[in-house]
Amino acid sequence: MPCSLSVKFGQLHISSDLSCMGSGTLKGSRSSAKLHKMLNPQRSLSELPKMSAASQVERAVLEEEFNWLLKEEVHAVLKQLQDVLKEASRRFSMPTPGLESQLKQENFILGSSTMDQVKGVLTLQGEALTQADINLKVAKSSQVLHFQFREDKQWKLQQIQDARNHVNQALQLLNSRDESYHFKTGAEVNKLMDAVMLQLTRARNRLTTPASMTLPELATSGLMKMFTPPMPGDVMVNFYINLSKLCLTVYQLHVLPPNTTKNFKPAGSSVMHNPGAMFELNNNRFEVSHVHKVECVVPWLNDSLVFFTISLQLCQQLKDKISVFSSFWNYRPF
Amino acid sequence: MSGNNLVLPIVLWGRTAPTHCISSLLVMDDFSTIITGCHDGQICLWDMTPELGICPRAMLFGHTASITCLSKASACSDKQYIVSASESGEMCLWDVNDGRCIEFTKLACAHTGIQFYQFTIGTQREGRLLCNGHYPEILVVDATSLEVLYSLVSKISPDWISSMSIIRSHRTQEDTVVAVSVTGILKVWIITAEVSRMQDLDPVFEEESKPIYCQGCQSISFCTFTQSSLLVVCSKYWRVFDAGDYSLLCSVPSDNDQAWTGGEFIAADKVIIWTEDGCSYIYKLPASCLPASEHFRSDVGKTKEGSIPPLVYSIANRSDKQLLICPPVTRFFFGRREPFHKLLIQGDSAGRLSLWSIPDTSPLQPLSTATELQVSSTISLQEAFDKLTPVSAGIIDQLSVLPGKDEPIKVTASVYIPSQGRLVCGREDGSIILVPATQTAIVQLLQGEHMLRRGWPPHRTLRGHRNKVTCVLYPYQISPRYDQRSLVSGGVDFSVIVWDIFTGEMKHIFCVHGGEITQLIIPPENCSTRMQHCVCSVASDHSVGLLSLRERKCIMLASLDTSSPSRLSSGVRQMTTWWWDALTALSTSGRWTQGNLPKYSHNALVVQSMKTNLTDPDMHVLFFDVEAVIIQLLTEEAQRPNPTLVSPETLQKSQAGADKGGSFLANKIFKQVKETMKETIKEHLLDEDEEEEEEMRRREEKSKSLSLLEYNLTMDTAKLFMSCLHAWGLNEQLDGICLERLGMLRPHCPISFGLISRGGHMSLMLPTFKESLLSKLSLATGRKLTLSDIVGKGTYGVSRAVTTQHLLSVISLANTLMGMTNATFVGEHMKKAPAR
């Protein structure tokens, strides 16, 4: 049985069936003893000497296998992990100081199939939006408003930068443990995997959960001052990443008269506010009248999300492999 | 629990020191305390003598994730505050003296570095904390309220700050913040008087932004000796820059694959640099880096890599060290007042601190061969525990020491049942012990006749698991919809066992999982009626079982498909969201978090088992709610019949009767205790072959009266509590009265108390605290003291907050007891039962 174990390690989907296999001897004797045990608990205790004798040989083999795991398999997985993460990191092109302008520029057309009130053309360069072109059709007047970024301005998408930094930190953790490094304990591997997984989960979470903002925060953010012609007071925009999509939200506002009968309740923070959300800014009360959201898939963000998931799986599987053995070390007959 | 209630914790640590995998280090300015943070979120305070002896004093609980950085948070020496930050964005302000949490806050992103900065406006001094981390700014935080005041922002290529340093200039009133971003850009901010006074959130932009091409920067430090150079350490090289115009003065690559992790100036012409694997090297700087030298800045712009400056000392990591599971943390500190130590400190994953005192002079040997510096002092948490005599007590140590073995069997899972005052301890050999909590705590903490008895207190052993018990659950305690007889336990033998807690019978074994049981959870109230009588078991093979206690079968077994971590396999669709909690709890189970702080309903005593790391054995904290003790005492007093006519014996009986309202339950317990007492008297080994015989005996006993019983939970609790709190050794006459007339017991050794502060933060004294207390008191009194001399002095003098709490508790409790009739702790049971 132990040889079949090591064969199984070569494959990917091992963790759950492996832990069952690893306990094969335990299980066999136990399931037959199950009935016994229920009737007569002390009987099963007397089986212990037999079992521990059998596991002496098994233990030696397992120890050998565990050493193989630490010496060979761990490094194989780490190499694979490193390759996947390098691919992911390559997607987030890291700017070299002074050469930011040499990064590739990509244009994305943001639109929606169901409505055509808002259309945006955005240029993404690395982690920054360098150009933006927004067309907004105002429903009442059928007038089209057009805004674009000022020449001297660009908008950094913090989510992309954070994700990139987290991936690079995970890579750094892995780089310090190359083939020449000799892992001595399973705990050491687990600790490394925990650290890598923490960074990868953070990276993934940064892309999957955009920052939620309150409407006044949005209104006073630097984004509003980036456009030419300047944004009118009754329009607000927001850019963010949601999963692999680059999103643009446009809010149209109207001012609530000071003596309105409507009860005023300021909205909390949210990724996207619904029509009817209210807020107060500079002693003026506003209400969101229309919300338009358009989005476009960024292919390389999609790739990196897939890479994150694959890497997280690899990490978990490596941890599972280690835990198979740890449960054997724990098994100490009394 | 915070604030209103007066709750005092007493800790029983056991012989195994908690896992303390050090992630950050700090030495206080007066060099009397070292503070370490660990990967599991605890902070340890270590006392340090001027001779560099170190002794762990207390452990602070409250963070839910790995500690990322520590910094001092006050400038003056009369109040010593530190601030700690964790991976999950929490920030805590602690008092170093007693471990009180003064303030805490949580941000969305984690800090990786904090620097304390004192700003002076005229005579006014304001403490500020500069924080950098997983965000592109430097946040300036008020050092007392932990509020973000303003931020230092980059205009040009903003990115995460990997390291920063504050440069104080004596020439101008301006202080400069120098930082290096992850992309290797040096940023400079100037903090002027106006900036520091600013309260609104206007950002401050950088003065200068210069690429220095240092990617993967580990640390940046300013030379306080010459005030004109900066040391930047990256993993593959270290560089010295001019602090004026940031031009490169020298660059030294690392040889043979070593990764540098930090460095510091130790003199005007010397730097110490350390590596990831724990070695450190002291280099003499080349003349081009020394402002005093005529060659200063002689080769700016033509620095060539590869010229390695002479090595003065090398400090290897210990050769005999235990296997480390992650790289150690190294830091350098130097004393700015007496004693002027220059200390290199290293903390590693085994909870070990090592200190090297760096000499000012160079060795006499030729510089070609670097002299190895010997470690000045080193100790690990476990070593400090091992040195203790008597050893640190665990809650059921007296029942767990097997004949012929030194180490007691470790307690691996436990639950306290407050209504019965009993503690259920699952152990690593698969047995489960049921024991009255106060009785066993008295044995561990206090001296008395009970020390002569074997197998005291009366207990019951449940045997069924073949190996380590990983979790125990008493469902009735969480929800009354469960049978109050059932106790559920899970083990590494893949089985879940249901027990009858009153008879000790094994009711059912569930063998449905293919992995070790890691957790037992109760479904929420709002689930289907069938599920209401189930417990949910989580196993290490990523399977989750729904086990019905009533039907005695497994209703559902779901398995998490690890090849797609975000999806459960088929057949699980009907499950509600709480399953997810069960699954996500897999990773965090067993940790001390704010979420699982014990709820103090109206229990005088709550025993909470804790472990800092999943692999640790349980340690136990006894939480005494002073108010609840008093209420219970008074209730019993009121329920008592006319006190003047009652003889001591009938008093005992009526007390016992009143103790528990439900007579069914009470009788059960009394029977149980009596039974287990007999059992243990009979002999240590509970032979299961005699089960039938016992059953017979049990039936016989039923007919007998309950007059033998003298078990009173409230009085026992009060006795334990008063005995622990009394200031023994202050007044010998009083001590005598306490012992003889009142029946209080003297502790074996100073007791490890704790302090609960805001938001569920808690500080617990380590058992080793008495060692440093002993040496401190010996020094103060000028004579050699023994542990028994300082038994009652442990808590007085720690801090005003602790003293107030303890005095208040003693006074209020003593007052209550004085108002009661015939109140004495002299127990009947102690006289009657035969001593073996």
Side-chain angles (χ1 to χ4, degrees), chain A residues 25-52:
Chain A
T25 45
L26 254 179
K27 245 198 161 174
S29 64
R30 209 196 43 225
S31 50
S32 61
K34 187 174 161 189
L35 207 98
H36 261 241
K37 218 178 192 175
M38 280 165 65
L39 301 168
N40 213 350
Q42 64 270 31
R43 189 58 51 81
S44 59
L45 279 174
S46 63
E47 284 168 11
L48 274 177
K50 249 186 285 168
M51 280 188 52
S52 58

PDB file of all heavy atoms in Angstrom, chain A residues 25-52:
ATOM      1  N   THR A  25      -5.379   0.792   7.031  1.00  0.00           N
ATOM      2  CA  THR A  25      -5.282  -0.255   8.035  1.00  0.00           C
ATOM      3  C   THR A  25      -6.160   0.066   9.232  1.00  0.00           C
ATOM      4  O   THR A  25      -6.833  -0.794   9.759  1.00  0.00           O
ATOM      5  CB  THR A  25      -3.839  -0.405   8.515  1.00  0.00           C
ATOM      6  OG1 THR A  25      -3.328   0.897   8.749  1.00  0.00           O
ATOM      7  CG2 THR A  25      -3.000  -1.113   7.493  1.00  0.00           C
ATOM      8  N   LEU A  26      -6.133   1.321   9.575  1.00  0.00           N
ATOM      9  CA  LEU A  26      -6.932   1.763  10.707  1.00  0.00           C
ATOM     10  C   LEU A  26      -8.394   1.455  10.470  1.00  0.00           C
ATOM     11  O   LEU A  26      -9.075   0.890  11.290  1.00  0.00           O
ATOM     12  CB  LEU A  26      -6.803   3.285  10.838  1.00  0.00           C
ATOM     13  CG  LEU A  26      -5.961   3.817  11.966  1.00  0.00           C
ATOM     14  CD1 LEU A  26      -5.969   5.319  11.880  1.00  0.00           C
ATOM     15  CD2 LEU A  26      -6.518   3.335  13.274  1.00  0.00           C
ATOM     16  N   LYS A  27      -8.810   1.848   9.269  1.00  0.00           N
ATOM     17  CA  LYS A  27     -10.218   1.791   8.953  1.00  0.00           C
ATOM     18  C   LYS A  27     -10.718   0.363   8.922  1.00  0.00           C
ATOM     19  O   LYS A  27     -11.772   0.061   9.438  1.00  0.00           O
ATOM     20  CB  LYS A  27     -10.447   2.448   7.600  1.00  0.00           C
ATOM     21  CG  LYS A  27     -11.277   3.687   7.710  1.00  0.00           C
ATOM     22  CD  LYS A  27     -11.816   4.028   6.376  1.00  0.00           C
ATOM     23  CE  LYS A  27     -12.995   4.946   6.526  1.00  0.00           C
ATOM     24  NZ  LYS A  27     -13.431   5.392   5.218  1.00  0.00           N
ATOM     25  N   GLY A  28      -9.921  -0.507   8.280  1.00  0.00           N
ATOM     26  CA  GLY A  28     -10.333  -1.887   8.128  1.00  0.00           C
ATOM     27  C   GLY A  28     -10.633  -2.504   9.469  1.00  0.00           C
ATOM     28  O   GLY A  28     -11.723  -3.037   9.698  1.00  0.00           O
ATOM     29  N   SER A  29      -9.685  -2.359  10.337  1.00  0.00           N
ATOM     30  CA  SER A  29      -9.861  -3.003  11.628  1.00  0.00           C
ATOM     31  C   SER A  29     -10.977  -2.323  12.393  1.00  0.00           C
ATOM     32  O   SER A  29     -11.665  -2.944  13.170  1.00  0.00           O
ATOM     33  CB  SER A  29      -8.563  -2.955  12.417  1.00  0.00           C
ATOM     34  OG  SER A  29      -8.243  -1.627  12.692  1.00  0.00           O
ATOM     35  N   ARG A  30     -11.146  -1.014  12.110  1.00  0.00           N
ATOM     36  CA  ARG A  30     -12.115  -0.310  12.903  1.00  0.00           C
ATOM     37  C   ARG A  30     -13.535  -0.629  12.504  1.00  0.00           C
ATOM     38  O   ARG A  30     -14.388  -0.852  13.333  1.00  0.00           O
ATOM     39  CB  ARG A  30     -11.884   1.177  12.835  1.00  0.00           C
ATOM     40  CG  ARG A  30     -12.350   1.855  14.102  1.00  0.00           C
ATOM     41  CD  ARG A  30     -12.477   3.328  13.913  1.00  0.00           C
ATOM     42  NE  ARG A  30     -13.107   3.589  12.638  1.00  0.00           N
ATOM     43  CZ  ARG A  30     -12.691   4.485  11.789  1.00  0.00           C
ATOM     44  NH1 ARG A  30     -11.650   5.195  12.062  1.00  0.00           N
ATOM     45  NH2 ARG A  30     -13.323   4.675  10.647  1.00  0.00           N
ATOM     46  N   SER A  31     -13.757  -0.689  11.179  1.00  0.00           N
ATOM     47  CA  SER A  31     -15.138  -0.893  10.775  1.00  0.00           C
ATOM     48  C   SER A  31     -15.637  -2.249  11.273  1.00  0.00           C
ATOM     49  O   SER A  31     -16.790  -2.397  11.639  1.00  0.00           O
ATOM     50  CB  SER A  31     -15.266  -0.786   9.258  1.00  0.00           C
ATOM     51  OG  SER A  31     -14.308  -1.602   8.661  1.00  0.00           O
ATOM     52  N   SER A  32     -14.748  -3.235  11.275  1.00  0.00           N
ATOM     53  CA  SER A  32     -15.182  -4.530  11.794  1.00  0.00           C
ATOM     54  C   SER A  32     -15.344  -4.439  13.309  1.00  0.00           C
ATOM     55  O   SER A  32     -16.193  -5.091  13.890  1.00  0.00           O
ATOM     56  CB  SER A  32     -14.174  -5.609  11.429  1.00  0.00           C
ATOM     57  OG  SER A  32     -12.933  -5.295  12.003  1.00  0.00           O
ATOM     58  N   ALA A  33     -14.528  -3.608  13.880  1.00  0.00           N
ATOM     59  CA  ALA A  33     -14.581  -3.515  15.337  1.00  0.00           C
ATOM     60  C   ALA A  33     -15.702  -2.602  15.809  1.00  0.00           C
ATOM     61  O   ALA A  33     -16.003  -2.545  16.985  1.00  0.00           O
ATOM     62  CB  ALA A  33     -13.264  -2.975  15.869  1.00  0.00           C
ATOM     63  N   LYS A  34     -16.288  -1.928  14.838  1.00  0.00           N
ATOM     64  CA  LYS A  34     -17.267  -0.913  15.192  1.00  0.00           C
ATOM     65  C   LYS A  34     -18.405  -1.501  16.007  1.00  0.00           C
ATOM     66  O   LYS A  34     -18.772  -0.985  17.057  1.00  0.00           O
ATOM     67  CB  LYS A  34     -17.794  -0.317  13.893  1.00  0.00           C
ATOM     68  CG  LYS A  34     -18.709   0.865  14.067  1.00  0.00           C
ATOM     69  CD  LYS A  34     -19.008   1.421  12.712  1.00  0.00           C
ATOM     70  CE  LYS A  34     -20.235   2.292  12.731  1.00  0.00           C
ATOM     71  NZ  LYS A  34     -20.639   2.668  11.368  1.00  0.00           N
ATOM     72  N   LEU A  35     -18.919  -2.624  15.513  1.00  0.00           N
ATOM     73  CA  LEU A  35     -20.044  -3.248  16.173  1.00  0.00           C
ATOM     74  C   LEU A  35     -19.613  -3.731  17.548  1.00  0.00           C
ATOM     75  O   LEU A  35     -20.280  -3.498  18.548  1.00  0.00           O
ATOM     76  CB  LEU A  35     -20.546  -4.411  15.325  1.00  0.00           C
ATOM     77  CG  LEU A  35     -22.022  -4.711  15.530  1.00  0.00           C
ATOM     78  CD1 LEU A  35     -22.823  -4.064  14.420  1.00  0.00           C
ATOM     79  CD2 LEU A  35     -22.240  -6.200  15.569  1.00  0.00           C
ATOM     80  N   HIS A  36     -18.480  -4.370  17.557  1.00  0.00           N
ATOM     81  CA  HIS A  36     -17.897  -4.860  18.790  1.00  0.00           C
ATOM     82  C   HIS A  36     -17.816  -3.759  19.814  1.00  0.00           C
ATOM     83  O   HIS A  36     -18.206  -3.916  20.954  1.00  0.00           O
ATOM     84  CB  HIS A  36     -16.464  -5.315  18.507  1.00  0.00           C
ATOM     85  CG  HIS A  36     -16.371  -6.776  18.324  1.00  0.00           C
ATOM     86  ND1 HIS A  36     -15.623  -7.564  19.122  1.00  0.00           N
ATOM     87  CD2 HIS A  36     -16.949  -7.587  17.430  1.00  0.00           C
ATOM     88  CE1 HIS A  36     -15.735  -8.810  18.721  1.00  0.00           C
ATOM     89  NE2 HIS A  36     -16.528  -8.855  17.679  1.00  0.00           N
ATOM     90  N   LYS A  37     -17.271  -2.677  19.337  1.00  0.00           N
ATOM     91  CA  LYS A  37     -16.961  -1.551  20.200  1.00  0.00           C
ATOM     92  C   LYS A  37     -18.211  -1.047  20.890  1.00  0.00           C
ATOM     93  O   LYS A  37     -18.210  -0.750  22.071  1.00  0.00           O
ATOM     94  CB  LYS A  37     -16.400  -0.435  19.342  1.00  0.00           C
ATOM     95  CG  LYS A  37     -15.278   0.329  19.982  1.00  0.00           C
ATOM     96  CD  LYS A  37     -14.858   1.334  18.968  1.00  0.00           C
ATOM     97  CE  LYS A  37     -13.577   2.009  19.267  1.00  0.00           C
ATOM     98  NZ  LYS A  37     -13.192   2.885  18.168  1.00  0.00           N
ATOM     99  N   MET A  38     -19.280  -1.003  20.104  1.00  0.00           N
ATOM    100  CA  MET A  38     -20.503  -0.464  20.661  1.00  0.00           C
ATOM    101  C   MET A  38     -21.028  -1.367  21.764  1.00  0.00           C
ATOM    102  O   MET A  38     -21.576  -0.911  22.747  1.00  0.00           O
ATOM    103  CB  MET A  38     -21.553  -0.319  19.574  1.00  0.00           C
ATOM    104  CG  MET A  38     -21.338   0.919  18.742  1.00  0.00           C
ATOM    105  SD  MET A  38     -22.265   0.856  17.252  1.00  0.00           S
ATOM    106  CE  MET A  38     -23.917   0.882  17.880  1.00  0.00           C
ATOM    107  N   LEU A  39     -20.843  -2.655  21.543  1.00  0.00           N
ATOM    108  CA  LEU A  39     -21.335  -3.572  22.553  1.00  0.00           C
ATOM    109  C   LEU A  39     -20.364  -3.641  23.723  1.00  0.00           C
ATOM    110  O   LEU A  39     -20.746  -3.729  24.872  1.00  0.00           O
ATOM    111  CB  LEU A  39     -21.481  -4.968  21.943  1.00  0.00           C
ATOM    112  CG  LEU A  39     -22.430  -5.041  20.757  1.00  0.00           C
ATOM    113  CD1 LEU A  39     -22.287  -6.369  20.043  1.00  0.00           C
ATOM    114  CD2 LEU A  39     -23.862  -4.830  21.218  1.00  0.00           C
ATOM    115  N   ASN A  40     -19.116  -3.588  23.398  1.00  0.00           N
ATOM    116  CA  ASN A  40     -18.111  -3.970  24.371  1.00  0.00           C
ATOM    117  C   ASN A  40     -16.859  -3.126  24.181  1.00  0.00           C
ATOM    118  O   ASN A  40     -15.916  -3.559  23.545  1.00  0.00           O
ATOM    119  CB  ASN A  40     -17.800  -5.441  24.110  1.00  0.00           C
ATOM    120  CG  ASN A  40     -17.477  -6.134  25.397  1.00  0.00           C
ATOM    121  OD1 ASN A  40     -17.311  -5.483  26.438  1.00  0.00           O
ATOM    122  ND2 ASN A  40     -17.359  -7.435  25.344  1.00  0.00           N
ATOM    123  N   PRO A  41     -16.849  -1.949  24.672  1.00  0.00           N
ATOM    124  CA  PRO A  41     -15.766  -1.011  24.339  1.00  0.00           C
ATOM    125  C   PRO A  41     -14.372  -1.499  24.705  1.00  0.00           C
ATOM    126  O   PRO A  41     -13.422  -1.223  24.005  1.00  0.00           O
ATOM    127  CB  PRO A  41     -16.119   0.234  25.140  1.00  0.00           C
ATOM    128  CG  PRO A  41     -17.390  -0.028  25.818  1.00  0.00           C
ATOM    129  CD  PRO A  41     -17.819  -1.398  25.572  1.00  0.00           C
ATOM    130  N   GLN A  42     -14.240  -2.258  25.768  1.00  0.00           N
ATOM    131  CA  GLN A  42     -12.882  -2.596  26.193  1.00  0.00           C
ATOM    132  C   GLN A  42     -12.241  -3.639  25.290  1.00  0.00           C
ATOM    133  O   GLN A  42     -11.043  -3.801  25.289  1.00  0.00           O
ATOM    134  CB  GLN A  42     -12.860  -3.057  27.649  1.00  0.00           C
ATOM    135  CG  GLN A  42     -13.624  -4.316  27.932  1.00  0.00           C
ATOM    136  CD  GLN A  42     -15.064  -3.989  28.295  1.00  0.00           C
ATOM    137  OE1 GLN A  42     -15.597  -3.003  27.804  1.00  0.00           O
ATOM    138  NE2 GLN A  42     -15.671  -4.780  29.135  1.00  0.00           N
ATOM    139  N   ARG A  43     -13.079  -4.336  24.516  1.00  0.00           N
ATOM    140  CA  ARG A  43     -12.525  -5.335  23.621  1.00  0.00           C
ATOM    141  C   ARG A  43     -11.594  -4.691  22.590  1.00  0.00           C
ATOM    142  O   ARG A  43     -10.521  -5.183  22.299  1.00  0.00           O
ATOM    143  CB  ARG A  43     -13.675  -6.083  22.922  1.00  0.00           C
ATOM    144  CG  ARG A  43     -13.293  -7.286  22.133  1.00  0.00           C
ATOM    145  CD  ARG A  43     -12.577  -8.359  22.956  1.00  0.00           C
ATOM    146  NE  ARG A  43     -13.270  -8.731  24.170  1.00  0.00           N
ATOM    147  CZ  ARG A  43     -14.293  -9.587  24.241  1.00  0.00           C
ATOM    148  NH1 ARG A  43     -14.744 -10.149  23.143  1.00  0.00           N
ATOM    149  NH2 ARG A  43     -14.854  -9.863  25.373  1.00  0.00           N
ATOM    150  N   SER A  44     -12.026  -3.572  22.062  1.00  0.00           N
ATOM    151  CA  SER A  44     -11.231  -2.945  21.012  1.00  0.00           C
ATOM    152  C   SER A  44      -9.899  -2.447  21.554  1.00  0.00           C
ATOM    153  O   SER A  44      -8.915  -2.382  20.834  1.00  0.00           O
ATOM    154  CB  SER A  44     -12.001  -1.786  20.390  1.00  0.00           C
ATOM    155  OG  SER A  44     -12.307  -0.854  21.383  1.00  0.00           O
ATOM    156  N   LEU A  45      -9.850  -2.138  22.816  1.00  0.00           N
ATOM    157  CA  LEU A  45      -8.595  -1.669  23.400  1.00  0.00           C
ATOM    158  C   LEU A  45      -7.554  -2.783  23.391  1.00  0.00           C
ATOM    159  O   LEU A  45      -6.369  -2.544  23.219  1.00  0.00           O
ATOM    160  CB  LEU A  45      -8.836  -1.197  24.841  1.00  0.00           C
ATOM    161  CG  LEU A  45      -9.390   0.203  24.998  1.00  0.00           C
ATOM    162  CD1 LEU A  45      -9.703   0.443  26.462  1.00  0.00           C
ATOM    163  CD2 LEU A  45      -8.390   1.225  24.495  1.00  0.00           C
ATOM    164  N   SER A  46      -8.017  -4.014  23.555  1.00  0.00           N
ATOM    165  CA  SER A  46      -7.077  -5.120  23.617  1.00  0.00           C
ATOM    166  C   SER A  46      -6.450  -5.396  22.255  1.00  0.00           C
ATOM    167  O   SER A  46      -5.458  -6.096  22.154  1.00  0.00           O
ATOM    168  CB  SER A  46      -7.781  -6.366  24.128  1.00  0.00           C
ATOM    169  OG  SER A  46      -8.790  -6.723  23.203  1.00  0.00           O
ATOM    170  N   GLU A  47      -7.021  -4.853  21.194  1.00  0.00           N
ATOM    171  CA  GLU A  47      -6.442  -5.053  19.868  1.00  0.00           C
ATOM    172  C   GLU A  47      -5.187  -4.207  19.671  1.00  0.00           C
ATOM    173  O   GLU A  47      -4.430  -4.415  18.745  1.00  0.00           O
ATOM    174  CB  GLU A  47      -7.453  -4.662  18.788  1.00  0.00           C
ATOM    175  CG  GLU A  47      -8.539  -5.695  18.601  1.00  0.00           C
ATOM    176  CD  GLU A  47      -9.660  -5.126  17.749  1.00  0.00           C
ATOM    177  OE1 GLU A  47      -9.463  -4.055  17.168  1.00  0.00           O
ATOM    178  OE2 GLU A  47     -10.709  -5.765  17.686  1.00  0.00           O
ATOM    179  N   LEU A  48      -5.016  -3.242  20.520  1.00  0.00           N
ATOM    180  CA  LEU A  48      -3.948  -2.262  20.304  1.00  0.00           C
ATOM    181  C   LEU A  48      -2.550  -2.866  20.131  1.00  0.00           C
ATOM    182  O   LEU A  48      -1.847  -2.461  19.217  1.00  0.00           O
ATOM    183  CB  LEU A  48      -3.955  -1.242  21.433  1.00  0.00           C
ATOM    184  CG  LEU A  48      -4.917  -0.088  21.207  1.00  0.00           C
ATOM    185  CD1 LEU A  48      -4.918   0.824  22.410  1.00  0.00           C
ATOM    186  CD2 LEU A  48      -4.518   0.698  19.965  1.00  0.00           C
ATOM    187  N   PRO A  49      -2.113  -3.786  20.980  1.00  0.00           N
ATOM    188  CA  PRO A  49      -0.760  -4.310  20.810  1.00  0.00           C
ATOM    189  C   PRO A  49      -0.522  -4.863  19.409  1.00  0.00           C
ATOM    190  O   PRO A  49       0.505  -4.600  18.795  1.00  0.00           O
ATOM    191  CB  PRO A  49      -0.682  -5.421  21.864  1.00  0.00           C
ATOM    192  CG  PRO A  49      -1.730  -5.121  22.839  1.00  0.00           C
ATOM    193  CD  PRO A  49      -2.786  -4.354  22.133  1.00  0.00           C
ATOM    194  N   LYS A  50      -1.509  -5.596  18.893  1.00  0.00           N
ATOM    195  CA  LYS A  50      -1.388  -6.163  17.555  1.00  0.00           C
ATOM    196  C   LYS A  50      -1.164  -5.047  16.533  1.00  0.00           C
ATOM    197  O   LYS A  50      -0.314  -5.120  15.678  1.00  0.00           O
ATOM    198  CB  LYS A  50      -2.665  -6.922  17.210  1.00  0.00           C
ATOM    199  CG  LYS A  50      -2.466  -8.423  17.127  1.00  0.00           C
ATOM    200  CD  LYS A  50      -3.734  -9.100  16.639  1.00  0.00           C
ATOM    201  CE  LYS A  50      -4.799  -9.139  17.725  1.00  0.00           C
ATOM    202  NZ  LYS A  50      -6.122  -9.517  17.238  1.00  0.00           N
ATOM    203  N   MET A  51      -1.987  -4.029  16.653  1.00  0.00           N
ATOM    204  CA  MET A  51      -1.941  -2.943  15.680  1.00  0.00           C
ATOM    205  C   MET A  51      -0.606  -2.204  15.694  1.00  0.00           C
ATOM    206  O   MET A  51      -0.054  -1.898  14.661  1.00  0.00           O
ATOM    207  CB  MET A  51      -3.044  -1.948  15.962  1.00  0.00           C
ATOM    208  CG  MET A  51      -4.362  -2.397  15.429  1.00  0.00           C
ATOM    209  SD  MET A  51      -5.525  -1.087  15.596  1.00  0.00           S
ATOM    210  CE  MET A  51      -4.644   0.242  14.821  1.00  0.00           C
ATOM    211  N   SER A  52      -0.105  -1.974  16.897  1.00  0.00           N
ATOM    212  CA  SER A  52       1.126  -1.212  16.956  1.00  0.00           C
ATOM    213  C   SER A  52       2.285  -2.028  16.387  1.00  0.00           C
ATOM    214  O   SER A  52       3.217  -1.479  15.828  1.00  0.00           O
ATOM    215  CB  SER A  52       1.415  -0.771  18.385  1.00  0.00           C
ATOM    216  OG  SER A  52       1.483  -1.898  19.217  1.00  0.00           O
TER     217      SER A  52
END
